Amino acid sequence: MAFLKHPFFKPFKNIFILILVAFGIWMLFFDANSLLIHHELNSEINDLEDEKEYYKKEIEKDNKALKELSTDEGLEKFAREEYYMKRDNEEIFIIEYEDSLKTKK
């Protein structure tokens, strides 16, 4: 117990200081509202905000695509590109390059 006579430990002989230190340690590490839990929740909030921004951009992109498809020209362009549709008096040639083909690796 000789180490307790060191001047550093003098404030810890007071019961109020000991209770305050114990309360501080409890609140930082063990409580339901601890600092560690707050850090996890803040990182989750940041991830959700990033996801929210991603979905907002996707909604804007989809609204733009819907606006293009609402016109006759846009609908015809989509049908020609995605479903290779054509008019009766037309012929369509599909040219695929080797670097654009999906190959199994």
Side-chain angles (χ1 to χ4, degrees):
M1 291 284 196
F3 68 90
L4 290 177
K5 293 182 181 179
H6 193 274
F8 175 74
F9 292 109
K10 186 174 183 175
F12 293 107
K13 290 181 182 178
N14 189 345
I15 188 71
F16 297 111
I17 299 289
L18 286 174
I19 291 173
L20 184 64
V21 168
F23 178 75
I25 291 172
W26 179 264
M27 291 303 290
L28 285 175
F29 299 108
F30 302 116
D31 192 47
N33 300 318
S34 71
L35 188 64
L36 300 174
I37 292 175
H38 275 286
H39 178 68
E40 290 176 11
L41 292 175
N42 285 336
S43 64
E44 187 176 341
I45 288 171
N46 291 336
D47 292 342
L48 290 172
E49 286 176 351
D50 292 342
E51 192 173 330
K52 179 181 171 184
E53 289 299 318
Y54 168 75
Y55 285 124
K56 281 185 178 181
K57 289 178 184 176
E58 288 295 314
I59 288 171
E60 289 175 10
K61 187 174 81 171
D62 290 342
N63 284 335
K64 183 179 176 185
L66 277 173
K67 192 177 285 185
E68 288 177 6
L69 288 174
S70 65
T71 63
D72 290 335
E73 294 85 21
L75 190 60
E76 183 178 346
K77 179 182 175 187
F78 180 78
R80 287 174 179 265
E81 290 177 357
E82 295 295 320
Y83 296 107
Y84 306 116
M85 292 184 171
K86 65 180 186 80
R87 293 186 179 156
D88 291 335
N89 58 356
E90 290 181 335
E91 289 185 20
I92 296 179
F93 298 97
I94 300 171
I95 301 171
E96 293 180 348
Y97 298 102
E98 281 187 35
D99 59 350
S100 67
L101 296 175
K102 295 180 182 176
T103 58
K104 293 181 181 178
K105 291 184 180 182

